[in-house]
Amino acid sequence: MTPTTPTTVPPTPPERTEPNVALGAMLFGTTIDEPTSFEILDAYVDAGGVWIDTADCYAFWADPSGYGGQSEDLLGRWLAARPGVRDRVRIATKVGCECLTPNSWPEVSEGLAPEVVRDVAEQSLRRMGIEHIDLYWAHRDDRDVAQADNVAAFGSLVTEGKVGRLGHSNTALWRTERARGIAAGLGIAGPTALQLRYSYLQPRPMVRGRDHDHRFGWVTDEDLDYAASDPDVDIWGYRPLIAGTYERADRPVSEAFEHVGTTRRLEALAEVADAVGHSRSEVVLAWMTGGVPAITPVIGVSNLDQLATAMTGVALHLPTELRSRLEEAW
């Protein structure tokens, strides 16, 4: 019997790990100029970053036209100038808040009618020069549209391969759950991601302010429980560092955060930051990404130093006792 040559089994490649973070591209192409935007994007990818988050309406308030699209356009130019980088990144964009006349949001904006959902997806694909959107967000709710029609429009884009995954931003949780039920009944994809504001400091319930201005725009205990109970659901938290509040005395939080819990949490945050030798912003990001459920912070940066802080924070592991100190400070 002729012996057979043993088959060589290649080693199993290590499981790919990536930072639990998304780079917010909101101001790329407007407030943040193209060379700086390219520099930040390049450094983000070099640091292992994968997710990039934008929207069709970014940033209408910062452009003389009063319309958005500048961020997606810039990302398209960056992708075109970096052959192969599309294979290393995932793109998330949104629909629902673009102005219909200059600077007309929120009074007159595109909404989520089925034809808008589809047309904006096609527009985003063209702007960025890509074949599919990895995560397509409903930027807001639109109760003037029959929810079944809206769900069908989003789901059809996944069925066709133009979109990979769906999410809801600034939307009541019951509406998201209802959308998932409708989608299940239709046999199509439904939303499995939530994007809401979140940070270590918490606003008083039902109080509106500069840092808490959407009725359904802040992560609640119910959202956290929902995601922790369902492994298919992710939460992305935008404005996690509250525009520099944790580091800059000239950027205090708004009135919605003026309560004893804020005082106690800032004291605990300072203690933990000193104990681990990191900035308060880095500790906040570590707290967000290391909890249950783990939150994906959407970081908006305007220079490489801010990016370095963010990437350090999401890679930081907090010992159990220090995490407990942060959790118990109410």
Side-chain angles (χ1 to χ4, degrees):
M1 182 175 179
T2 304
T4 58
T5 303
T7 301
T8 301
V9 179
T12 302
E15 183 178 349
R16 180 183 179 187
T17 59
E18 60 191 50
N20 182 20
V21 65
L23 179 64
M26 182 171 69
L27 298 177
F28 289 175
T30 50
T31 302
I32 304 175
D33 64 31
E34 185 157 317
T36 304
S37 299
F38 276 34
E39 183 179 49
I40 292 170
L41 286 160
D42 290 342
Y44 174 69
V45 173
D46 287 345
V50 174
W51 279 105
I52 301 170
D53 186 67
T54 186
D56 71 318
C57 69
Y58 291 162
F60 68 83
W61 60 93
D63 191 81
S65 70
Y67 293 104
Q70 299 79 21
S71 175
E72 289 185 334
D73 285 339
L74 182 139
L75 289 173
R77 293 191 294 273
W78 175 72
L79 289 167
R82 305 289 189 268
V85 78
R86 178 65 179 106
D87 296 331
R88 300 172 61 188
V89 298
R90 293 199 284 274
I91 305 293
T93 193
K94 310 179 191 73
V95 56
C97 290
E98 172 66 316
C99 301
L100 295 183
T101 59
N103 294 303
S104 61
W105 185 88
E107 291 80 7
V108 185
S109 55
E110 65 192 357
L112 296 176
E115 62 273 16
V116 172
V117 169
R118 176 168 291 277
D119 290 348
V120 170
E122 297 285 2
Q123 174 182 259
S124 295
L125 292 170
R126 290 193 302 272
R127 282 175 172 170
M128 292 185 280
I130 58 179
E131 295 183 353
H132 70 279
I133 297 164
D134 296 289
L135 175 50
Y136 194 33
W137 300 98
H139 207 163
R140 63 176 181 91
D141 199 359
D142 185 353
R143 301 192 187 183
D144 292 329
V145 176
Q147 195 169 22
D149 295 340
N150 171 266
V151 169
F154 275 102
S156 67
L157 292 170
V158 176
T159 301
E160 295 167 16
K162 294 180 179 180
V163 169
R165 190 177 178 189
L166 303 170
H168 280 180
S169 181
N170 304 315
T171 300
L173 186 57
W174 71 268
R175 292 279 288 176
T176 299
E177 177 63 11
R178 181 171 291 181
R180 295 183 74 190
I182 293 170
L186 295 172
I188 59 176
T192 56
L194 310 173
Q195 185 171 161
L196 305 155
R197 282 191 182 179
Y198 196 50
S199 190
Y200 179 59
L201 298 183
Q202 305 288 303
R204 285 177 289 149
M206 301 183 73
V207 176
R208 303 290 174 261
R210 180 187 69 244
D211 303 314
H212 181 38
D213 57 355
H214 294 306
R215 184 182 181 192
F216 301 112
W218 191 273
V219 171
T220 65
D221 279 344
E222 187 173 21
D223 296 313
L224 294 173
D225 183 62
Y226 186 75
S229 303
D230 189 336
D232 292 332
V233 174
D234 292 325
I235 297 180
W236 290 24
Y238 67 90
R239 294 199 75 190
L241 302 180
I242 320 180
T245 285
Y246 295 107
E247 308 297 338
R248 295 180 54 170
D250 63 329
R251 293 192 175 180
V253 292
S254 63
E255 186 179 15
F257 291 81
E258 293 177 0
H259 56 86
V260 67
T262 291
T263 302
R264 292 172 178 169
R265 286 209 148 194
L266 288 175
E267 290 173 353
L269 182 60
E271 289 177 18
V272 172
D274 287 344
V276 298
H278 285 268
S279 71
R280 287 177 290 184
S281 293
E282 290 167 347
V283 170
V284 168
L285 295 174
W287 172 80
M288 289 178 65
T289 58
V292 178
I295 308 297
T296 299
V298 182
I299 56 166
V301 302
S302 58
N303 57 58
L304 295 182
D305 287 341
Q306 292 174 355
L307 177 65
T309 293
M311 300 306 284
T312 297
V314 299
L316 176 63
H317 173 73
L318 296 176
T320 301
E321 63 275 14
L322 294 182
R323 174 170 290 280
S324 297
R325 174 69 181 103
L326 293 173
E327 295 285 358
E328 292 165 0
W330 282 105

